[in-house]
Amino acid sequence: MSSSSAVFPSCAEAPLGPVAGSVLSRIAGQAQARARVCAVRSGEERVTYRELWARAGRVAAVVSAVAGGRGELRVAIGLAPGADWVGCLLGIWRAGAVAVPINLDHPPARLRLLAESADLLVHAGEAIPGWWADGKPAVAFPGAEAGHLPESCSEFPAAAGGRAACILHTSGSTGAPKPVVLPHSGLARRVADFVDLYGITAEDRIAQLATVSVDVVLWETLLPLTVGATLCVPHGRQRVPGAGLVRWLAREQVTVATMTPTMLAALPEVTLPELRLLVVGGEALTPVRFRYWIGRHQVANAYGPTEATIATHVAPHITVEDQPAPLGRPVPGVEDFLLDEDDRPVPDGQPGHLHLAGVGLADGYAGLPDRTAASFPTLTIGGRAVRVYRTGDRAWRRPDGQLVYAGRIDRQLNLGGVRLEPEEVEAAALALDGVTAAAALAEPAEGRDVLALHAAVPGGRITEAALRAHLAGLLPATAVPARIHLHPSLPLTGYGKPDLHALAALVSPSPPATGPHATATAESAAPLPDTVRVWWRQATGAEPATATTDFFSCGGGSLACVELLHRINETFGLEISLADFTAQPTPAFLARALASTTEESA
């Protein structure tokens, strides 16, 4: 068969009752039963279940006052990761409102786009952020002196099965983020099944490593809180994959963590005796690369788009012999279908377009009926009408029923575990006056693919640095191209669109500069300390050959960029921002910054 609803034996099939159907109800029960137990560890802060529930009550009181009996109020969470963020999420649900998580690391222009999906903002301080629209209500996170809802947990407006729980944003082909509406019912079922699948207990310490605007943060946050376990939230450099994150995992005695393969590959191979489970997802997993971790911990491979709530498929126990690693079988309540171009099932063993159905499917995209209709059609499959989500992913089914990922159907890219829409990058580039055409695509660099942008700039009025700075102000750091190629014009297809195949053929990856001459040139042209040169080489795979060598063009990616700046800032006492370096990603810029520190201390 080419569709499946197979489940894991350990997961119950019984439908969830009215109380069990609400994540909030389960957490309220823990707040009563384990009131003095630590619910959230965030930096030096230790927040008990009773304290967390009280924070949620204060937020609920504020949100309810603003709502004034209106329908489902959409509330943006303008807080950094931590106990207050968690309390705000729960408080929004206690008030019967819809949560809109916001990643504050995004540039203001993107934050303004995300904020359009919300009616009210809860922020951290007295000053309302500049990206929040004038005239829309905003409140500071309420302190202990504020009023709160009654401590009773017998009624929760948000517990109604089909009501929206949150709006999460993905990148969209129209150039704007797509607001995905996830219902409470699907979220509750998914969390309950994960508890069973992964054997989560009150003794676990679960890390919250995902950014607060992606769906993975929901399972990281809600899994521990629904069973009385502890949520552990890192801060600053601890969140960057590397030695700092490993030290934090060991110190916090984390037992369960979720990462992309790219994140896991950046960790030094050290002993973490308390870590029992690594859930890996977000990009293709090559088990032989992670022999160290697979040999010491349970490693699960998880798959699922935001539009289907966190994860729809899990392979609970990956082995080094898995080649390639399977995506696993569908979790309870989920059906998958592999279809051809005419929406007909393909035979087992043959690749097809993966469609998902069942529990957890999003209500659609808020305010985008046409996009919703195209992505969530109702198809006739096996003689019955089924509402599905078209994932855009290709997959095939093994004889044992597990799916194996086979690449993307559309243009969406998956680079370093980050899903990117090329059209969004192109739209941002075209917003700069002087850019007449743009095409974004994956490009090979140092044995891996990076995001590249080809832009038409007639007359050469736009420089690469200016375009990069412009993009950094509109896009998340992960969506800023590693390489930018400027052309007088772009080659076009017969339909008048940029010819992607022709553009890919124009550029070949440049080998890193090697040999004594290259080293000497780098030393004379880019006077960087030896340690910084080593860090640059580790981040890009190439020497900083000249003072104007571009970090991104020679193989550096967004995560590597963050790691490099953290190392430099901590070692030399600098405060080089990601935006400043993205605008001038050269050894010369770093040398000037380092020289300014030397001059000040002289």
Side-chain angles (χ1 to χ4, degrees), residues 105-467:
D105 291 333
H106 285 166
R110 186 178 179 85
L111 290 173
R112 281 190 286 272
L113 285 174
L114 304 185
E116 292 177 1
S117 298
D119 309 303
L120 168 68
L121 170 69
V122 179
H123 58 93
E126 295 182 359
I128 299 175
W131 47 265
W132 185 250
D134 292 338
K136 294 176 70 173
V139 295
F141 186 88
E145 72 286 349
H148 57 81
L149 289 185
E151 292 301 314
S152 169
C153 60
S154 59
E155 294 183 13
F156 304 110
R163 296 184 67 171
C166 56
I167 295 177
L168 298 173
H169 291 83
T170 68
S171 59
S173 59
T174 61
K178 295 177 293 184
V180 182
V181 183
L182 296 181
H184 276 283
S185 55
L187 182 61
R189 177 65 182 268
R190 197 73 85 237
V191 169
D193 288 333
F194 285 156
V195 168
D196 289 338
L197 174 60
Y198 294 128
I200 305 299
T201 72
E203 304 305 314
D204 275 310
R205 292 177 177 231
I206 299 181
Q208 188 195 74
L209 302 180
T211 59
V212 294
S213 59
V214 301
D215 60 350
V216 174
V217 78
L218 294 176
W219 103 263
E220 290 178 329
T221 302
L222 300 176
L223 240 63
L225 298 182
T226 55
V227 299
T230 301
L231 175 67
C232 301
V233 185
H235 292 276
R237 183 172 172 75
Q238 296 168 344
R239 301 188 70 88
V240 180
L245 175 55
V246 165
R247 287 193 296 268
W248 178 83
L249 291 170
R251 185 173 64 251
E252 295 294 317
Q253 298 180 311
V254 166
T255 62
V256 180
T258 302
M259 303 183 194
T260 65
T262 295
M263 294 172 65
L264 187 57
L267 299 187
E269 295 179 346
V270 300
T271 301
L272 295 171
E274 303 298 328
L275 185 66
R276 67 171 184 85
L277 173 64
L278 274 167
V279 181
V280 181
E283 60 182 321
L285 173 65
T286 306
V288 292
R289 291 183 60 202
F290 304 104
R291 185 183 302 270
Y292 177 89
W293 300 103
I294 291 174
R296 289 161 177 78
H297 310 278
Q298 178 188 350
V299 175
N301 193 28
Y303 165 85
T306 300
E307 289 86 346
T309 307
I310 309 174
T312 59
H313 292 68
V314 176
H317 295 273
I318 294 296
T319 69
V320 176
E321 288 70 33
D322 284 316
Q323 299 297 334
L327 300 179
R329 300 180 181 87
V331 299
V334 171
E335 288 187 284
D336 60 29
F337 304 91
L338 298 176
L339 307 180
D340 62 17
E341 294 180 353
D342 297 317
D343 292 334
R344 297 175 301 190
V346 302
D348 286 349
Q350 293 189 14
H353 184 177
L354 177 58
H355 291 62
L356 301 172
V359 175
L361 222 59
D363 292 339
Y365 302 117
L368 300 173
D370 293 341
R371 183 76 178 181
T372 297
S375 297
F376 297 88
T378 297
L379 304 178
T380 301
I381 304 175
R384 62 191 175 98
V386 185
R387 180 176 182 262
V388 299
Y389 170 63
R390 298 186 188 272
T391 68
D393 289 326
R394 296 172 70 249
W396 56 275
R397 198 180 309 281
R398 301 194 326 187
D400 63 1
Q402 297 195 77
L403 290 187
V404 178
Y405 179 72
R408 289 292 302 171
I409 286 177
D410 53 24
R411 286 192 59 204
Q412 187 181 79
L413 303 174
N414 191 329
L415 303 177
V418 178
R419 290 171 59 188
L420 298 170
E421 293 281 4
E423 291 92 339
E424 183 180 17
V425 180
E426 294 161 0
L430 291 170
L432 179 62
D433 186 30
V435 176
T436 59
L441 63 160
E443 187 174 291
E446 306 299 332
R448 60 191 176 90
D449 285 344
V450 298
L451 180 64
L453 175 70
H454 293 262
V457 288
R461 294 185 292 121
I462 304 297
T463 65
E464 180 180 337
L467 179 53

Side-chain angles (χ1 to χ4, degrees), residues 529-541 551 560 563-564 566-572:
D530 290 342
T531 51
V532 176
R533 297 175 61 78
V534 170
W535 296 338
W536 180 291
R537 187 168 61 250
Q538 291 173 342
T540 65
F551 177 85
E563 175 71 13
L564 174 64
H566 271 296
R567 284 177 163 180
I568 293 174
N569 288 339
E570 283 199 352
T571 302
F572 297 96

Side-chain angles (χ1 to χ4, degrees), residues 29 45 48 73 91 166 186 241 268 282 288 294 321 328 358 442 452 454 462 490 510 512 544 561 592:
E45 189 175 24
T48 67
L73 195 71
C166 56
V288 292
I294 291 174
E321 288 70 33
H454 293 262
I462 304 297
L490 299 187
S510 302
C561 177
R592 288 195 298 272

Side-chain angles (χ1 to χ4, degrees), residues 13-23 25-26 159-161 184-185 188-189 192:
E13 278 296 301
L16 300 171
V19 176
S22 167
V23 166
S25 297
R26 298 194 192 107
H184 276 283
S185 55
R189 177 65 182 268

